[in-house]
Amino acid sequence: MKKNNVSNNIIMLYIMNITQLILPLITLPYLTRVLSVDNYGVVSYVKSLTVYITLIIEFGFLLSGTKEIVLAKFNKQKIRNIIGIITLAKLILSIFAFLLLLVMIYNIPILRRHTLFTILSFWGPFLSIFLFDYLFRGLEKMQIITYRYLVMKGISTTLTFILVKGDSQLNLIPILDIIGSLVAVIWVFYELKKMEIYPAFHEVHNVWSVLRISAIYFLSNVASTAFGAFNTLLVGIYLSSREVAYWGVIMSLIAAVQSLYSPISDGIYPYMISKKSLTFLTKIILFFIPLLFLGSCIAFFGAKLILNIIGGSRYLAAYKYLQESVPMLIISFFTMMFGWPALGTINKVKETTLTTFIAAIVQVIGLVFLIVNNMFTISSIIIVRTISEFSMMLTRFLYIIKYHNDFNYKG
C-alpha cells in the first residue's frame, strides 16, 4: 500500500465529494424557488431523517467492512464471504429501519402529512446496500465509488430539473433518487462481475458476530449523528415550518463544507491501517490548515452572498446562522482527522466511540437546557453543537497524546 495510492484515493474521493458539493448546491437554489418554503422544509426535514435510516442500515460497516477487506489481502474467497455476510446483515437491519420509520410517521405530524414522500425516501438508503462502498474502499478502488456516484446523482439531478416544477411534483424527488440508485447498482454489479467478486452466503451463521463487531462503530456514528439529524428532528417539533426551511438550507451548506473533509479522512484510512504513521497524519493536517482558514473566511464574510445565491431573497435572513456555524466547521475538521484515521487505526475503537458519546451527552444536555428554559432557537442550537464538537475534538486529541507510542513515526 503506497503513498501514491493514498494520493489517488484522495483525488478520486475529492472528485466525488466536490460533485457532492456542487450537485446539491445546484439543485438547492432550484428547489427553494420552485417549491414553497413549507414544502422545501418537508424535503430538508425528511432528508435529515434518512440520515438515521442510512445510519441503521450501514451500521458502521463502512469502517469495519473496509478494515476486513484490507485484512483479507485480496483473497477473493474471503472477500466474497465478507460481502455476503455484510449484505445479509444489512438486509436484516433495513427491516428494522423501515419499522422505525413507520413509527416516526405515526408520531410526527409533518411526516404524517407527507406519508408517501417519506416512505419513498426510504428506498434510496435501502438500495445503498448493494453499492458495496466498503469493498471498493478496502480494495483502494476509489474510482469505482466516484464514477458510480457521478452516474447516480447525475441522473437524479438532471431529471429533477426536467420534471420537478412545483409542489405538485414533490413525490417525484425521491422517485428520481431511486432511479439514479438503481442505475448505480447495475453499474456496481457490472464492476463486480469483471473482478469475479460476488456475495457468498456460506457463513450465514456468522451474521450476529459481524453485527456485534460492527456495533461499536455504529454506536460511534449514532452519537455523531446527534450533531445533525437529532437537531433537525427537534427543530421540526419546536420551530415553525419557515425556521425548518432556514435550518435545512444552513445544514445543507454545512454538510457541503464538511463533505470536503471526508475525502482526506477516507483516503488516508486504508494507508493508516497499514502504516499507523503519526508523522504522515500530521503532515496531512498541516497541509490542509491554510485551506481550512481560507474557506472559513469565505463562509463568514461571504455569508450574505452565499445565502442569496443558494436560497434567494426568501432565505437571506438566515445568513447570520451560517456565520455562527464557522467555528464549528473549523473544529469538525480536526475532530474527523483525530478520529478513525488516527485512533481507529491503532485499534482504539472503544476510545473513539467514547469520545463521540461524551460529545453526544454534552449535546443532549445542552438541548434539554434550551427546551426547558424556552431558549430553543437556531442560534442557540448552533452554539450547543459547537461546544459538543469541541469536546469531541479535545478528548480525541488527549487520547492521541496518551497512546502516541502505538503509532509509528515513519512511513
Side-chain angles (χ1 to χ4, degrees), residues 220 339-340 343-344 348-357 396:
S220 178
W340 298 115
L343 294 174
K348 302 303 177 185
V349 177
K350 291 181 180 179
E351 287 81 359
T352 307
T353 302
L354 179 60
T355 64
T356 313
F357 265 101
R396 287 183 175 181

Side-chain angles (χ1 to χ4, degrees), residues 56-72:
I56 293 170
I57 294 174
E58 284 297 322
F59 206 72
F61 286 118
L62 190 59
L63 291 166
S64 64
T66 298
K67 188 172 184 178
E68 289 299 315
I69 296 296
V70 170
L71 297 177

Side-chain angles (χ1 to χ4, degrees), residues 205-274:
H205 58 282
N206 288 330
V207 65
W208 301 117
S209 176
V210 298
L211 283 169
R212 188 177 64 253
I213 292 170
S214 195
I216 194 160
Y217 295 93
F218 167 71
L219 292 173
S220 178
N221 290 335
V222 164
S224 296
T225 305
F227 302 128
F230 184 58
N231 293 333
T232 303
L233 182 67
L234 293 179
V235 165
I237 295 172
Y238 288 99
L239 300 182
S240 67
S241 296
R242 180 170 294 273
E243 288 173 307
V244 171
Y246 285 168
W247 177 261
V249 170
I250 295 300
M251 288 303 103
S252 295
L253 291 171
I254 289 174
V257 174
Q258 290 179 331
S259 72
L260 296 177
Y261 305 159
S262 297
I264 309 168
S265 174
D266 295 343
I268 67 175
Y269 182 64
Y271 180 86
M272 286 294 293
I273 290 174
S274 175

Side-chain angles (χ1 to χ4, degrees), residues 295-367:
S296 300
C297 289
I298 293 172
F300 186 85
F301 294 106
K304 275 190 176 181
L305 178 61
I306 293 169
L307 261 296
N308 194 37
I309 293 171
I310 297 303
S313 58
R314 292 184 298 174
Y315 292 83
L316 192 57
Y319 84 92
K320 64 178 182 178
Y321 303 133
L322 179 58
Q323 290 181 325
E324 291 166 356
S325 300
V326 169
M328 177 182 62
L329 289 173
I330 295 172
I331 294 168
S332 64
F333 172 77
F334 296 98
T335 300
M336 185 176 293
M337 298 306 294
F338 294 162
W340 298 115
L343 294 174
T345 56
I346 57 170
N347 296 318
K348 302 303 177 185
V349 177
K350 291 181 180 179
E351 287 81 359
T352 307
T353 302
L354 179 60
T355 64
T356 313
F357 265 101
I358 291 171
I361 291 169
V362 171
Q363 173 90 355
V364 171
I365 291 173
L367 293 174

Side-chain angles (χ1 to χ4, degrees), residues 54 106 147 151 168 198 202 264 272 289 294 303 325 356 378 404:
T54 302
Y106 181 79
Y147 298 150
V151 170
S168 60
Y198 51 84
H202 304 308
I264 309 168
M272 286 294 293
I289 282 177
L294 176 62
S325 300
T356 313
I378 293 177
H404 70 94

Side-chain angles (χ1 to χ4, degrees), residues 23 25-31 34 155-165 176:
L23 292 183
L25 293 185
I26 292 174
T27 56
L28 180 58
Y30 179 74
L31 291 176
V34 300
I155 290 172
S156 61
T157 300
T158 302
L159 291 177
T160 296
F161 281 106
I162 295 172
L163 299 176
V164 179
K165 300 300 181 183
L176 300 180

